Amino acid sequence: LFTGVLTTSAQVTTTTQISDFENVVLTSNHQTVYNDSTGGGGFTSGNAYFPSYWDDSNGFWSSGWAASSVLDSTNAYPNLYGCAAYTGYNNSNKYAVGTTYGSLIMRMTDSLIGKTVTGMYICNSTYAYKSMKYGDGFENAFTAQNQDWFKLTVRKYYGGILSNDSAEVYLADFRYSDTTQNYILKTWTWVNFATLGNVDSLAFFLSSSQNGSFGMNTPAYFCIDNVTLSTYRDTNEIAGVKNYFLSNSFGLY
């Protein structure tokens, strides 16, 4: 008796595209933002579109995304566009800030529709970071005694359907029995979303341990950078020859 494993493999190419927001035109670096105040409705970076909504009646950015180059990790409200890490990922000039008390959407465009979001770097906004660390008129400073936390949950849309599959990252977590592990995120941290599979859009949801009569007390702001999108292609299939990964046990008697 002879036994073995027969294995064939396809050649797979990966095309990676990064949305780093450096292409978004701002009036000047280190102090300005792009939001929907000019009526643009949003902005594109790479193969992703980031909707933005401006409240004309009251004159403020109400929800969605803003591209920012604000270098301010010191001041809290009304600093809506600063990042706790001070700069974009890897000391870049620009990043994006998202805000929502519902769901926040990022849409794939062109050839990346229905492909994979490998992941992105995420950090707290300055406003949220300062509120959680020191407290303000709406919420108390986060403590281990209260087991406080602030969480970002990401779900996917595919084929017009919002999936229950999700990826999570805690922007702050004070639930550790070893209190030295408690943290409020202030550096850019890579979060892997590849397990969500192919997506048309991503929906972002924020939640917190501190809530009041009108909902979440924690400022609903966070920052992202270097959104990495990928498409995988079988080179044999591209050439017209369908090739599958195969691993079969066999025996000879």
Side-chain angles (χ1 to χ4, degrees):
L1 171 64
F2 173 81
T3 60
V5 176
L6 171 66
T7 303
T8 65
S9 64
Q11 289 183 308
V12 178
T13 62
T14 302
T15 300
T16 300
Q17 186 274 319
I18 296 176
S19 300
D20 60 9
F21 311 106
E22 298 300 316
N23 67 296
V24 182
V25 177
L26 308 178
T27 55
S28 62
N29 282 333
H30 311 320
Q31 56 186 329
T32 61
V33 301
Y34 172 93
N35 51 37
D36 189 37
S37 59
T38 58
F43 54 92
T44 298
S45 181
N47 281 92
Y49 179 73
F50 301 84
S52 184
Y53 305 98
W54 185 265
D55 186 330
D56 288 324
S57 300
N58 298 294
F60 71 96
W61 175 46
S62 58
S63 64
W65 301 94
S68 176
S69 62
V70 173
L71 301 185
D72 185 348
S73 60
T74 301
N75 298 303
Y77 185 84
N79 177 19
L80 304 183
Y81 306 107
C83 178
Y86 186 69
T87 67
Y89 169 69
N90 200 27
N91 293 319
S92 65
N93 291 325
K94 300 173 185 176
Y95 51 91
V97 184
T99 182
T100 181
Y101 282 91
S103 66
L104 175 64
I105 300 297
M106 179 187 78
R107 297 201 301 265
M108 307 302 104
T109 64
D110 304 321
S111 62
L112 271 297
I113 296 175
K115 304 305 181 184
T116 301
V117 179
T118 306
M120 64 188 71
Y121 286 91
I122 293 178
C123 189
N124 272 305
S125 71
T126 301
Y127 179 24
Y129 178 85
K130 295 294 183 180
S131 176
M132 290 183 285
K133 188 172 181 62
Y134 302 110
D136 55 27
F138 297 97
E139 76 170 345
N140 298 317
F142 276 28
T143 65
Q145 180 180 357
N146 292 330
Q147 298 279 284
D148 285 309
W149 51 269
F150 182 38
K151 181 172 68 173
L152 174 66
T153 301
V154 182
R155 297 168 63 186
K156 73 171 183 179
Y157 277 99
Y158 188 67
I161 298 174
L162 180 61
S163 172
N164 288 326
D165 296 338
S166 65
E168 297 179 341
V169 55
Y170 280 86
L171 299 169
D173 196 347
F174 281 68
R175 301 172 301 157
Y176 290 99
S177 56
D178 178 0
T179 57
T180 62
Q181 297 185 58
N182 294 334
Y183 67 90
I184 305 173
L185 195 64
K186 63 181 297 186
T187 58
W188 289 104
T189 300
W190 174 259
V191 181
N192 191 324
F193 294 141
T195 55
L196 295 177
N198 293 337
V199 305
D200 298 327
S201 301
L202 290 180
F204 299 76
F205 302 85
L206 291 168
S207 55
S208 171
S209 58
Q210 294 203 27
N211 301 277
S213 302
F214 299 100
M216 188 173 69
N217 291 335
T218 307
Y221 297 82
F222 66 100
C223 302
I224 66 172
D225 205 356
N226 281 44
V227 180
T228 303
L229 315 175
S230 297
T231 177
Y232 302 92
R233 303 178 71 186
D234 181 342
T235 55
N236 291 307
E237 186 174 353
I238 295 170
V241 180
K242 187 78 173 181
N243 194 347
Y244 298 92
F245 288 99
L246 174 65
S247 180
N248 290 330
S249 298
F250 66 91
L252 297 178
Y253 295 86

